[in-house]
Amino acid sequence: MWIIAGLLAAAFLAAGAMKALQPKEKLVASGMGWAADLSDVQVKLIGVVEVLGAIGLILPALLDIAPVLVPIAATGLVITMIGAVVVHVRRHENQAIAPSAVLLVLAAVVAWGRFGPYSF
């Protein structure tokens, strides 16, 4: 469970930081066409949500402070990735659907595991 949560945290931290720190135009130019349909604030908000989710996957359990936040963060990332998959499907961005779906499934595994049989 720690390995999956660590990999997810790294992926969401990198992706979220990129969305939160780079201008929307640069994201669109780098292949994130979906960002053109959203405002700057919405793109930054998605980035911040992903960064906070990444932090929530690791820090509460690592510090043993409110470890119930780990499955809650994972559930939040599942919801975020459902939105991502829907956006990519609607925009016919087939190359982006699979990575989003994989992150969704991994986040769901962490949520299930930490709420259930592998809770702290």
Side-chain angles (χ1 to χ4, degrees), residues 11-76:
F12 279 110
L13 186 62
M18 181 176 54
K19 290 174 190 129
L21 299 174
Q22 290 187 1
K24 182 176 92 165
E25 295 75 26
K26 188 172 180 182
L27 295 174
V28 172
S30 70
M32 295 186 185
W34 58 267
D37 294 343
L38 301 176
S39 71
D40 288 334
V41 173
Q42 289 171 318
V43 174
K44 302 293 182 210
L45 182 62
I46 291 169
V48 169
V49 165
E50 290 178 350
V51 168
L52 291 175
I55 292 168
L57 287 173
I58 301 297
L59 278 186
L62 189 65
L63 300 175
D64 198 28
I65 299 173
V68 72
L69 293 176
V70 173
I72 292 170
T75 302

Side-chain angles (χ1 to χ4, degrees), residues 90-102:
R90 285 184 177 172
R91 290 182 49 86
H92 304 288
E93 296 174 338
N94 297 328
Q95 74 283 2
I97 296 171
S100 297
V102 168

